[in-house]
Amino acid sequence: MQENIAPTKANLMDSEAALDFSKKGYELLDKKRNVLIREMMGFMDRAEKLQDSIGKTFKEAYEALILANVTLGISEVYQVAKSIPLADEITILSRSVMGVEIPMVKYEKKDIDHYYSFYHTNTALDVALQKFHDVIYLIYELAEVEDSVYKLAVEIKKTQKRANALQNIQIPRYEYLVKMISDVLEEKDREDFFRLKLLKKKKV
């Protein structure tokens, strides 16, 4: 490693300050990375549970829907499906985790409204509608969780890159500069000391 820096006390002080700053920066980035990783792991655990719940609920919903199609007829089930309004009750907010804006999906969980006459339907259709209704809220939550995982993962990668640059490039560079300048100054001090001793001997 070659550095074109004069071995002066001023440069030594600057290098020591830069080294100290780089080490503190690395510590802060390391703490940030650990917090983000813990947060992301928590979201990943939630995502796994939600995916299991969604898979199970979808399976039950489709089984009930198939039974409703068989017992009522596809045309009747289709007419009921057309009467169900679109879900539009969500609001997207955000919160900050170590400077990372992650989403918060806000919604009011409502009981299902029946938009059809019970006279023309049966229990299978009721079960199917309830299960699909339940899935909507699970999907809201999963969307929030998966987007959070993505944003945290991106920030963790950036933070890791910055931390690596400090640990592998900046800190070794300033450590080298501090040692190099210190060694040169110490050698100069020794030379000055011996010259001073020689001068004293000559005077004697």
Side-chain angles (χ1 to χ4, degrees), residues 55-81:
K56 180 183 176 183
T57 308
F58 258 132
K59 182 175 181 293
E60 293 169 350
Y62 277 116
E63 286 173 352
L65 182 61
I66 290 168
L67 184 57
N69 283 333
V70 169
T71 53
L72 295 172
I74 293 175
S75 177
E76 185 67 32
V77 172
Y78 177 69
Q79 290 303 316
V80 171

Side-chain angles (χ1 to χ4, degrees), residues 69-131:
N69 283 333
V70 169
T71 53
L72 295 172
I74 293 175
S75 177
E76 185 67 32
V77 172
Y78 177 69
Q79 290 303 316
V80 171
K82 284 206 306 181
S83 70
I84 300 173
L86 293 173
D88 60 354
E89 71 272 24
I90 66 169
T91 303
I92 309 295
L93 303 174
S94 65
R95 67 183 179 94
S96 178
V97 177
M98 300 296 288
V100 184
E101 294 296 315
I102 60 175
M104 294 173 63
V105 180
K106 292 291 183 183
Y107 56 88
E108 182 184 346
K109 196 166 185 179
K110 300 175 181 176
D111 292 331
I112 190 169
D113 288 326
H114 294 284
Y115 306 98
Y116 53 89
S117 168
F118 289 103
Y119 180 73
H120 296 292
T121 62
N122 61 17
T123 304
L125 183 58
D126 293 341
V127 170
L129 287 170
Q130 183 60 57
K131 293 295 180 183

Side-chain angles (χ1 to χ4, degrees), residues 1-16:
M1 185 187 292
Q2 296 294 323
E3 289 286 351
N4 230 355
I5 293 177
T8 64
K9 288 185 178 179
N11 283 337
L12 176 60
M13 290 173 64
D14 288 344
S15 296
E16 286 174 335

